[in-house]
Amino acid sequence: MLLDAASMYFRAYYGVPESITAPDGTPVNAVRGFTDMVSRLVAEHRPARLVACLDLDWRPAFRVDALPSYKAHRIAGSEPGGKGPDTAPAGIPEEVPDTLAPQVPIILEVLEAAGIATGGAEGCEADDVIGTLAHQEATDAVVGVSGDRDLMQIVRDEPTPVRLLYVGRGLAKAEYLGPVEVAEKYGVPVARAGEAYAEMAMLRGDPSDGLPGVPGVGAKTAATLVGRFGSWAELLAAVDDQSDTRLGNTRTKLSKAADYLAVVEPVVRVRQDAEIQFSRPDILPSAPADPEALAALAERWGLSSSVDRLTAALKG
Protein backbone atom coordinates (compact mmCIF):
# COMPACT_ATOMS: atom_id res chain seq x y z
CA MET A 1 0.00 0.00 0.00
CA LEU A 2 1.34 3.39 -1.07
CA LEU A 3 0.08 6.45 0.79
CA ASP A 4 0.09 9.91 -0.79
CA ALA A 5 1.00 11.48 2.52
CA ALA A 6 0.59 15.16 1.60
CA SER A 7 -2.75 14.55 -0.06
CA MET A 8 -3.94 12.73 3.04
CA TYR A 9 -2.77 15.23 5.64
CA PHE A 10 -4.19 18.17 3.68
CA ARG A 11 -7.56 16.42 3.67
CA ALA A 12 -7.20 15.56 7.34
CA TYR A 13 -6.45 19.20 8.12
CA TYR A 14 -9.62 20.43 6.43
CA GLY A 15 -11.72 17.49 7.63
CA VAL A 16 -10.92 17.68 11.37
CA PRO A 17 -11.73 20.84 13.39
CA GLU A 18 -8.82 23.04 14.45
CA SER A 19 -10.29 22.91 17.93
CA ILE A 20 -8.44 19.60 18.27
CA THR A 21 -5.30 20.76 20.06
CA ALA A 22 -2.37 19.48 22.09
CA PRO A 23 -2.16 20.19 25.84
CA ASP A 24 -0.16 23.32 25.05
CA GLY A 25 -2.83 24.57 22.63
CA THR A 26 -1.02 23.65 19.40
CA PRO A 27 -3.48 22.50 16.70
CA VAL A 28 -3.04 18.79 15.94
CA ASN A 29 -6.13 18.24 13.83
CA ALA A 30 -4.12 17.13 10.78
CA VAL A 31 -1.97 14.81 12.89
CA ARG A 32 -5.03 13.26 14.50
CA GLY A 33 -6.92 12.89 11.22
CA PHE A 34 -3.95 11.52 9.31
CA THR A 35 -3.07 9.01 12.02
CA ASP A 36 -6.66 7.80 12.20
CA MET A 37 -6.79 7.41 8.42
CA VAL A 38 -3.63 5.29 8.43
CA SER A 39 -5.03 3.16 11.26
CA ARG A 40 -8.22 2.48 9.36
CA LEU A 41 -6.41 1.70 6.11
CA VAL A 42 -4.08 -0.77 7.80
CA ALA A 43 -6.91 -2.41 9.75
CA GLU A 44 -9.14 -2.80 6.70
CA HIS A 45 -6.59 -3.73 4.04
CA ARG A 46 -3.82 -5.48 5.99
CA PRO A 47 -1.09 -4.47 3.52
CA ALA A 48 1.94 -6.74 3.26
CA ARG A 49 4.08 -3.64 2.75
CA LEU A 50 3.38 0.00 3.48
CA VAL A 51 5.08 3.24 2.43
CA ALA A 52 4.07 6.83 3.17
CA CYS A 53 5.20 8.65 0.01
CA LEU A 54 6.43 12.22 0.38
CA ASP A 55 6.52 15.36 -1.74
CA LEU A 56 10.19 16.31 -1.63
CA ASP A 57 9.42 18.80 -4.40
CA TRP A 58 5.76 19.69 -4.83
CA ARG A 59 6.44 21.64 -8.05
CA PRO A 60 9.43 20.00 -9.78
CA ALA A 61 11.64 22.00 -12.11
CA PHE A 62 11.19 19.57 -14.99
CA ARG A 63 7.43 20.20 -14.95
CA VAL A 64 7.73 23.95 -14.49
CA ASP A 65 10.30 24.18 -17.30
CA ALA A 66 7.85 22.43 -19.61
CA LEU A 67 4.76 24.34 -18.45
CA PRO A 68 5.37 27.45 -16.28
CA SER A 69 1.71 27.61 -15.23
CA TYR A 70 2.00 24.26 -13.44
CA LYS A 71 0.65 24.79 -9.89
CA ALA A 72 1.77 28.44 -10.06
CA HIS A 73 -1.52 29.64 -8.57
CA ARG A 74 -0.73 27.80 -5.32
CA ILE A 75 2.32 29.94 -4.60
CA ALA A 76 2.03 32.56 -1.88
CA GLY A 77 1.91 35.98 -3.52
CA SER A 78 0.76 34.67 -6.89
CA GLU A 79 -2.14 37.09 -6.87
CA PRO A 80 -1.82 40.34 -8.85
CA GLY A 81 1.45 42.01 -7.94
CA GLY A 82 3.15 38.71 -7.06
CA LYS A 83 4.67 35.94 -9.13
CA GLY A 84 2.32 35.18 -11.98
CA PRO A 85 1.75 31.85 -13.72
CA ASP A 86 4.26 32.66 -16.46
CA THR A 87 7.05 33.89 -14.19
CA ALA A 88 6.93 31.84 -10.97
CA PRO A 89 10.01 29.62 -10.90
CA ALA A 90 10.32 26.17 -9.37
CA GLY A 91 11.59 25.90 -5.83
CA ILE A 92 9.16 28.35 -4.22
CA PRO A 93 7.37 26.78 -1.22
CA GLU A 94 3.72 25.92 -1.58
CA GLU A 95 1.29 28.13 0.29
CA VAL A 96 0.35 26.02 3.32
CA PRO A 97 -1.98 27.12 6.12
CA ASP A 98 -0.04 28.52 9.07
CA THR A 99 -1.51 25.95 11.44
CA LEU A 100 -0.80 22.99 9.13
CA ALA A 101 2.91 23.51 8.45
CA PRO A 102 4.04 22.84 12.07
CA GLN A 103 2.02 19.61 12.11
CA VAL A 104 3.91 17.96 9.23
CA PRO A 105 7.06 17.21 11.29
CA ILE A 106 4.84 15.70 13.98
CA ILE A 107 3.21 13.43 11.39
CA LEU A 108 6.66 12.28 10.27
CA GLU A 109 7.62 11.59 13.89
CA VAL A 110 4.50 9.48 14.37
CA LEU A 111 5.26 7.47 11.22
CA GLU A 112 8.85 6.87 12.33
CA ALA A 113 7.87 5.86 15.85
CA ALA A 114 5.22 3.49 14.46
CA GLY A 115 7.77 1.78 12.24
CA ILE A 116 6.09 2.92 9.01
CA ALA A 117 8.55 3.68 6.24
CA THR A 118 8.54 6.93 4.30
CA GLY A 119 9.87 7.27 0.77
CA GLY A 120 10.73 10.29 -1.32
CA ALA A 121 12.74 11.27 -4.37
CA GLU A 122 14.69 14.48 -4.83
CA GLY A 123 13.10 16.73 -7.43
CA CYS A 124 9.91 14.67 -7.52
CA GLU A 125 6.40 14.68 -6.15
CA ALA A 126 4.78 11.92 -4.11
CA ASP A 127 2.85 10.99 -7.27
CA ASP A 128 6.17 10.10 -8.92
CA VAL A 129 7.21 7.97 -5.95
CA ILE A 130 3.89 6.12 -6.08
CA GLY A 131 4.08 5.77 -9.87
CA THR A 132 7.60 4.36 -9.69
CA LEU A 133 6.89 1.86 -6.91
CA ALA A 134 3.68 0.70 -8.59
CA HIS A 135 5.43 0.32 -11.95
CA GLN A 136 8.30 -1.66 -10.45
CA GLU A 137 6.19 -4.06 -8.40
CA ALA A 138 6.33 -7.53 -9.94
CA THR A 139 5.05 -9.69 -7.07
CA ASP A 140 2.13 -8.24 -5.12
CA ALA A 141 -1.01 -6.32 -5.88
CA VAL A 142 -0.63 -2.59 -5.19
CA VAL A 143 -3.09 -0.08 -3.74
CA GLY A 144 -2.31 3.62 -3.94
CA VAL A 145 -4.22 5.91 -1.58
CA SER A 146 -4.72 9.52 -2.63
CA GLY A 147 -7.18 12.32 -3.11
CA ASP A 148 -5.36 13.32 -6.30
CA ARG A 149 -7.17 12.33 -9.49
CA ASP A 150 -3.89 12.36 -11.41
CA LEU A 151 -3.05 9.01 -9.84
CA MET A 152 -5.89 7.30 -11.67
CA GLN A 153 -3.29 6.84 -14.38
CA ILE A 154 -1.48 4.16 -12.34
CA VAL A 155 -4.29 1.60 -12.50
CA ARG A 156 -3.59 -1.64 -14.36
CA ASP A 157 -4.29 -5.38 -14.32
CA GLU A 158 -0.96 -6.73 -15.59
CA PRO A 159 1.70 -7.76 -14.72
CA THR A 160 0.42 -7.19 -11.19
CA PRO A 161 -2.86 -5.45 -10.29
CA VAL A 162 -2.61 -1.78 -9.34
CA ARG A 163 -5.62 -0.02 -7.89
CA LEU A 164 -6.29 3.50 -6.59
CA LEU A 165 -8.25 4.09 -3.41
CA TYR A 166 -9.45 7.59 -4.23
CA VAL A 167 -10.17 9.56 -1.05
CA GLY A 168 -10.95 12.93 -2.58
CA ARG A 169 -14.27 13.01 -0.70
CA GLY A 170 -12.85 11.46 2.45
CA LEU A 171 -12.11 7.93 3.52
CA ALA A 172 -15.75 7.18 4.31
CA LYS A 173 -16.65 7.82 0.66
CA ALA A 174 -13.50 6.33 -0.85
CA GLU A 175 -13.69 4.86 -4.35
CA TYR A 176 -11.74 1.70 -5.18
CA LEU A 177 -10.71 2.13 -8.80
CA GLY A 178 -9.14 -0.20 -11.33
CA PRO A 179 -9.13 -0.12 -15.14
CA VAL A 180 -12.81 -1.08 -15.40
CA GLU A 181 -13.96 1.62 -12.98
CA VAL A 182 -11.78 4.36 -14.53
CA ALA A 183 -13.02 3.39 -18.01
CA GLU A 184 -16.65 3.50 -16.90
CA LYS A 185 -16.20 6.76 -15.00
CA TYR A 186 -14.43 8.69 -17.77
CA GLY A 187 -15.28 6.90 -21.00
CA VAL A 188 -11.71 5.88 -21.83
CA PRO A 189 -10.64 2.48 -23.25
CA VAL A 190 -10.49 -0.16 -20.52
CA ALA A 191 -7.52 -1.92 -22.14
CA ARG A 192 -5.28 1.03 -21.34
CA ALA A 193 -7.43 2.97 -18.89
CA GLY A 194 -4.58 4.41 -16.82
CA GLU A 195 -2.60 5.77 -19.75
CA ALA A 196 -5.76 6.96 -21.45
CA TYR A 197 -6.90 8.84 -18.34
CA ALA A 198 -3.64 10.81 -18.36
CA GLU A 199 -4.08 11.61 -22.05
CA MET A 200 -7.66 12.75 -21.47
CA ALA A 201 -6.39 15.03 -18.67
CA MET A 202 -3.79 16.55 -21.01
CA LEU A 203 -6.50 17.45 -23.52
CA ARG A 204 -9.17 18.49 -21.02
CA GLY A 205 -6.85 20.36 -18.67
CA ASP A 206 -7.08 20.72 -14.90
CA PRO A 207 -7.34 24.19 -13.32
CA SER A 208 -6.36 22.79 -9.91
CA ASP A 209 -2.90 22.04 -11.35
CA GLY A 210 -2.64 25.08 -13.61
CA LEU A 211 -3.05 22.82 -16.64
CA PRO A 212 -4.81 24.82 -19.38
CA GLY A 213 -5.79 21.97 -21.70
CA VAL A 214 -6.90 22.53 -25.28
CA PRO A 215 -9.40 25.40 -25.52
CA GLY A 216 -12.80 24.10 -26.56
CA VAL A 217 -12.05 20.46 -25.70
CA GLY A 218 -13.96 19.19 -22.68
CA ALA A 219 -13.88 15.88 -20.86
CA LYS A 220 -16.25 14.00 -23.20
CA THR A 221 -14.53 15.18 -26.36
CA ALA A 222 -11.13 14.38 -24.85
CA ALA A 223 -12.22 10.86 -23.92
CA THR A 224 -13.64 10.29 -27.41
CA LEU A 225 -10.40 11.42 -29.02
CA VAL A 226 -8.26 9.25 -26.76
CA GLY A 227 -10.42 6.25 -27.59
CA ARG A 228 -9.61 6.61 -31.28
CA PHE A 229 -5.87 6.21 -30.81
CA GLY A 230 -3.59 3.61 -29.31
CA SER A 231 -1.14 6.06 -27.75
CA TRP A 232 -0.42 9.72 -27.16
CA ALA A 233 2.28 9.65 -29.84
CA GLU A 234 -0.25 8.34 -32.34
CA LEU A 235 -2.67 11.15 -31.50
CA LEU A 236 0.05 13.79 -31.90
CA ALA A 237 1.08 12.32 -35.23
CA ALA A 238 -2.53 12.62 -36.40
CA VAL A 239 -2.51 16.35 -35.64
CA ASP A 240 0.29 16.78 -38.18
CA ASP A 241 -1.21 14.36 -40.70
CA GLN A 242 -3.87 16.23 -42.64
CA SER A 243 -5.10 12.97 -44.18
CA ASP A 244 -5.98 11.44 -40.78
CA THR A 245 -9.73 11.83 -40.33
CA ARG A 246 -9.94 10.55 -36.75
CA LEU A 247 -9.61 14.04 -35.28
CA GLY A 248 -12.81 15.19 -36.95
CA ASN A 249 -13.75 18.81 -36.27
CA THR A 250 -11.28 19.10 -33.39
CA ARG A 251 -8.27 19.26 -35.73
CA THR A 252 -8.22 23.04 -35.81
CA LYS A 253 -8.39 23.31 -32.02
CA LEU A 254 -5.61 20.79 -31.57
CA SER A 255 -3.45 22.42 -34.22
CA LYS A 256 -3.74 25.80 -32.49
CA ALA A 257 -2.64 24.13 -29.26
CA ALA A 258 0.31 22.32 -30.86
CA ASP A 259 2.91 24.06 -28.68
CA TYR A 260 1.07 23.02 -25.54
CA LEU A 261 0.55 19.45 -26.75
CA ALA A 262 4.25 19.12 -27.49
CA VAL A 263 5.29 19.78 -23.87
CA VAL A 264 2.44 18.62 -21.66
CA GLU A 265 3.11 14.87 -21.49
CA PRO A 266 5.95 14.89 -18.91
CA VAL A 267 3.93 17.38 -16.84
CA VAL A 268 0.97 15.04 -16.49
CA ARG A 269 2.51 11.57 -16.61
CA VAL A 270 3.77 10.36 -13.26
CA ARG A 271 7.33 9.17 -13.41
CA GLN A 272 8.23 5.49 -13.30
CA ASP A 273 11.96 5.99 -12.77
CA ALA A 274 12.23 8.16 -9.65
CA GLU A 275 15.30 7.49 -7.48
CA ILE A 276 13.58 6.79 -4.18
CA GLN A 277 15.20 6.93 -0.78
CA PHE A 278 13.47 5.20 2.12
CA SER A 279 13.60 6.01 5.80
CA ARG A 280 14.32 2.36 6.58
CA PRO A 281 15.70 -0.51 4.51
CA ASP A 282 12.63 -2.71 4.85
CA ILE A 283 9.16 -1.38 4.29
CA LEU A 284 7.09 -3.94 6.14
CA PRO A 285 4.31 -2.60 8.33
CA SER A 286 5.51 -5.09 10.94
CA ALA A 287 8.78 -3.20 11.32
CA PRO A 288 9.12 -2.80 15.08
CA ALA A 289 7.47 0.26 16.50
CA ASP A 290 9.07 2.23 19.29
CA PRO A 291 6.53 2.09 22.15
CA GLU A 292 8.40 4.65 24.23
CA ALA A 293 8.60 7.13 21.36
CA LEU A 294 4.91 6.63 20.57
CA ALA A 295 3.97 7.11 24.22
CA ALA A 296 5.99 10.32 24.40
CA LEU A 297 4.35 11.68 21.25
CA ALA A 298 0.91 10.70 22.53
CA GLU A 299 1.48 12.53 25.80
CA ARG A 300 3.09 15.64 24.32
CA TRP A 301 0.55 16.16 21.56
CA GLY A 302 -2.59 14.69 23.13
CA LEU A 303 -2.76 11.79 20.68
CA SER A 304 -3.42 8.89 23.04
CA SER A 305 -6.57 7.59 21.32
CA SER A 306 -5.11 7.94 17.81
CA VAL A 307 -1.84 6.30 18.78
CA ASP A 308 -3.73 3.45 20.48
CA ARG A 309 -5.75 2.85 17.29
CA LEU A 310 -2.62 2.90 15.15
CA THR A 311 -0.76 0.51 17.45
CA ALA A 312 -3.71 -1.91 17.47
CA ALA A 313 -4.02 -1.78 13.69
CA LEU A 314 -0.33 -2.49 13.14
CA LYS A 315 -0.41 -5.43 15.55
CA GLY A 316 -3.39 -6.82 13.66
Side-chain angles (χ1 to χ4, degrees), residues 2 15 20 32 49 54-55 92 94 96 116 161 168 177 182 190 197 204 221 227 239 257-258 269 303:
L2 306 173
I20 303 297
R32 178 82 64 86
R49 287 173 286 162
L54 307 178
D55 272 332
I92 296 177
E94 182 177 14
V96 178
I116 297 174
L177 304 172
V182 171
V190 68
Y197 176 84
R204 176 199 62 197
T221 300
V239 176
R269 299 266 196 215
L303 301 172

Side-chain angles (χ1 to χ4, degrees), residues 112-115 280 287-297 307 311:
E112 181 179 1
R280 57 175 65 244
D290 185 335
E292 292 184 2
L294 281 173
L297 289 169
V307 166
T311 301

Side-chain angles (χ1 to χ4, degrees), residues 44-186:
E44 293 182 357
H45 296 272
R46 310 309 314 168
R49 287 173 286 162
L50 179 67
V51 184
C53 302
L54 307 178
D55 272 332
L56 296 192
D57 192 335
W58 73 282
R59 191 168 175 262
F62 73 90
R63 290 194 168 103
V64 176
D65 289 345
L67 192 68
S69 65
Y70 182 65
K71 293 186 178 179
H73 61 292
R74 302 188 196 178
I75 296 171
S78 62
E79 300 300 324
K83 293 288 186 182
D86 298 324
T87 60
I92 296 177
E94 182 177 14
E95 186 171 18
V96 178
D98 290 342
T99 52
L100 171 58
Q103 297 188 58
V104 176
I106 305 171
I107 288 170
L108 296 178
E109 287 185 282
V110 170
L111 290 170
E112 181 179 1
I116 297 174
T118 59
E122 292 295 333
C124 291
E125 301 176 57
D127 287 7
D128 300 307
V129 177
I130 292 172
T132 297
L133 292 174
H135 174 71
Q136 294 176 349
E137 181 57 45
T139 303
D140 297 323
V142 176
V143 178
V145 182
S146 179
D148 187 345
R149 291 181 300 172
D150 293 345
L151 278 169
M152 291 183 190
Q153 65 185 281
I154 69 172
V155 301
R156 73 181 190 204
D157 284 330
E158 300 291 343
T160 53
V162 177
R163 301 293 185 260
L164 177 68
L165 189 66
Y166 177 67
V167 295
R169 296 187 300 160
L171 196 52
K173 297 181 180 179
E175 299 176 75
Y176 191 75
L177 304 172
V180 170
E181 291 78 15
V182 171
E184 290 178 350
K185 192 176 183 72
Y186 293 101

Side-chain angles (χ1 to χ4, degrees), residues 213-268:
V214 177
V217 174
K220 290 184 178 179
T221 300
T224 299
L225 284 172
V226 167
R228 294 175 182 170
F229 298 91
S231 69
W232 181 249
E234 187 180 331
L235 188 154
L236 292 185
V239 176
D240 294 330
D241 183 357
Q242 297 296 320
S243 67
D244 195 319
T245 61
R246 288 176 290 178
L247 295 178
N249 59 9
T250 61
R251 175 179 296 283
T252 300
K253 296 174 184 176
L254 295 172
S255 295
K256 289 181 179 179
D259 290 345
Y260 163 77
L261 295 175
V263 302
V264 69
E265 186 172 16
V267 178
V268 174

